Amino acid sequence: MEKTSQVDIKKLKSFIVEIFDFMEKENGMHIPLKHNLYWKIPYIEKYDLSKEAEISECGSLDDDWEFIEKASNHPEQAIPLMLLHVAPILEVLATQVKSYPKP
């Protein structure tokens, strides 16, 4: 059986704030996204390693960001499902900081 972890939300939140503080010091308040389109793997397939996932569609960071910007004006929209729009942006931001070693 696969081992699963339990996430401490308070610890995760604190760590994410530290990461954003680092990014802000290094890059300022705005970081341009150097990519827009990305492959989307359906959630159910993404975590089922018993078979190969099919990539059936692509996503857009621009669309994700536009969706987040609109939703951020409405506190009732700050629900966990929004992380599906946040995650792709966080993934690309990880490589957009100035100190990121270029491959």
Side-chain angles (χ1 to χ4, degrees), residues 10-27:
K10 187 175 183 178
K11 191 176 282 187
L12 179 62
K13 181 179 178 180
S14 175
F15 189 62
I16 289 171
V17 168
E18 290 176 23
I19 293 169
F20 278 110
D21 288 346
F22 174 90
M23 291 170 59
E24 184 180 334
K25 285 179 196 167
E26 188 162 303
N27 290 73

Side-chain angles (χ1 to χ4, degrees), residues 7-101:
V7 176
D8 179 330
I9 297 297
K10 187 175 183 178
K11 191 176 282 187
L12 179 62
K13 181 179 178 180
S14 175
F15 189 62
I16 289 171
V17 168
E18 290 176 23
I19 293 169
F20 278 110
D21 288 346
F22 174 90
M23 291 170 59
E24 184 180 334
K25 285 179 196 167
E26 188 162 303
N27 290 73
M29 292 300 291
H30 297 91
I31 300 175
L33 297 175
K34 295 181 181 174
H35 306 285
N36 180 28
L37 300 178
Y38 60 91
W39 292 115
K40 288 177 75 171
I41 299 172
Y43 177 81
I44 293 172
E45 291 184 31
K46 192 175 210 171
Y47 299 100
D48 180 1
L49 301 183
S50 67
K51 59 183 180 186
E52 193 168 328
E54 291 185 31
I55 300 173
S56 57
E57 60 183 280
C58 67
S60 164
L61 295 173
D62 290 341
D63 290 348
D64 289 329
W65 181 246
E66 182 179 338
F67 192 79
I68 291 166
E69 281 188 309
K70 288 178 182 175
S72 70
N73 294 322
H74 305 280
E76 71 277 5
Q77 293 293 315
I79 59 174
L81 194 57
M82 289 298 186
L83 291 172
L84 295 175
H85 295 283
V86 173
I89 291 173
L90 292 178
E91 187 173 11
V92 79
L93 282 178
T95 63
Q96 301 296 270
V97 294
K98 292 176 183 175
S99 64
Y100 179 76

